[in-house]
Amino acid sequence: MATQEILIGRDAESNKLKITVAGRSALQADVPMSVSREHCVIYKNDDGTAAITNLNPRNVTYVNGIPVAQKEISADDVVELGGERFRLDTSFLKLPRLISVSHLKQVWDSFEREQERARAKMVRKNALKGLSGLLTMAAIVISFIDMGLEAGSVNTIRIALYVVAALAVVLTFGPDAINPGKAIKEEKKRKDKFQQAYVCPQCGYFFGFANSYDILLRTGECVKCKAKFRKS
């Protein structure tokens, strides 16, 4: 990753802000004497991210009102230099916005748990359907097989198999039979809730059902507004 080094300080002759990039300098507004000649340096990466480093303990560099030795910065951060807190205009850096997406981990994990419960419920339902079919088939077959039992005993076994099969059917379809649209409504409600919550905090873009939280972190930015994700 290529990195551009930008030196920030005070010009000794004019007492103006001096910005030096690749050996070329430009002067801007007047700055107080508390801004040293080589006050701080900004390292800007080719992916748009940047970090500021205070060059001397006697200097003071603030990011959002807090003295820092080194810190990643974005377009939303306020950078100030020296005891008088001269505000550095960082617009020339064209920095992206850094946004936190840490809250989306809980959103994704909750959705995954709900999906797992729905899948487990479907597996149980399919298993009961299969059991019901097997029991029904056994009840039919037993009528045609000579098991050496009396007719009354065969009928008792056959009726018992039918009852168990019917019970399996009730357990499988009972709730859905009472309210056939409930499962569909719950699924839609679950997905709608997820679509509203699993979005970019900057532009509201929905990240999708297939993009897990880990994939978001690896991507590192919103594909729509290009806002960068904070690491923490």
Side-chain angles (χ1 to χ4, degrees):
M1 181 185 296
T3 301
Q4 184 182 52
E5 184 176 315
I6 304 167
L7 179 63
I8 309 293
R10 175 176 53 83
D11 180 62
E13 296 181 1
S14 64
N15 288 330
K16 290 184 178 294
L17 182 70
K18 184 178 180 180
I19 300 176
T20 304
V21 182
R24 295 185 177 182
S25 299
L27 301 180
Q28 295 187 356
D30 293 336
V31 293
M33 294 298 292
S34 59
V35 176
S36 69
R37 296 179 184 181
E38 294 186 349
H39 196 95
C40 61
V41 62
I42 295 175
Y43 298 99
K44 185 179 180 184
N45 303 312
D46 57 6
D47 65 354
T49 60
I52 190 167
T53 299
N54 191 59
L55 291 177
N56 192 306
R58 290 174 294 181
N59 300 339
V60 188
T61 300
Y62 300 91
V63 176
N64 299 326
I66 301 173
V68 299
Q70 184 177 32
K71 192 179 188 306
E72 188 175 11
I73 59 174
S74 72
D76 296 316
D77 293 321
V78 175
V79 177
E80 297 168 308
L81 310 176
E84 286 85 357
R85 298 202 176 193
F86 172 81
R87 181 164 179 172
L88 178 65
D89 182 3
T90 60
S91 61
F92 73 96
L93 296 170
K94 297 180 180 179
L95 297 176
R97 297 187 180 280
L98 292 181
I99 58 175
S100 174
V101 293
S102 58
H103 65 288
L104 294 182
K105 185 179 189 307
Q106 182 178 355
V107 175
W108 175 264
D109 290 346
S110 177
F111 180 70
E112 275 288 276
R113 286 193 297 270
E114 291 174 348
Q115 290 291 90
E116 277 297 322
R117 284 195 289 268
R119 285 191 288 267
K121 183 178 180 181
M122 183 58 66
V123 169
R124 289 194 299 270
K125 179 180 288 188
N126 289 335
L128 287 172
K129 286 170 62 178
L131 176 62
S132 174
L134 287 173
L135 292 173
T136 302
M137 183 63 68
I140 296 172
V141 171
I142 200 173
S143 302
F144 299 95
I145 297 178
D146 185 5
M147 300 177 62
L149 299 174
E150 295 181 358
S153 298
V154 172
N155 285 334
T156 300
I157 295 173
R158 185 158 47 86
I159 291 172
L161 290 173
Y162 278 130
V163 169
V164 176
L167 180 61
V169 170
V170 170
L171 291 175
T172 304
F173 298 104
D176 292 336
I178 297 173
N179 189 357
K182 182 179 179 181
I184 297 175
K185 290 178 181 179
E186 288 180 348
E187 175 73 8
K188 184 178 184 304
K189 182 178 179 181
R190 182 165 61 249
K191 289 187 175 181
D192 287 347
K193 179 182 176 182
F194 179 69
Q195 284 182 283
Q196 292 172 6
Y198 200 58
V199 298
C200 172
Q202 180 67 32
C203 67
Y205 172 76
F206 173 54
F207 291 124
F209 294 102
N211 290 321
S212 69
Y213 181 72
D214 289 339
I215 292 176
L216 285 188
L217 294 185
R218 287 197 296 270
T219 302
E221 67 177 19
C222 174
V223 297
K224 183 177 181 181
C225 69
K226 303 302 180 183
K228 304 291 182 182
F229 301 152
R230 289 189 184 275
K231 295 179 181 179
S232 59

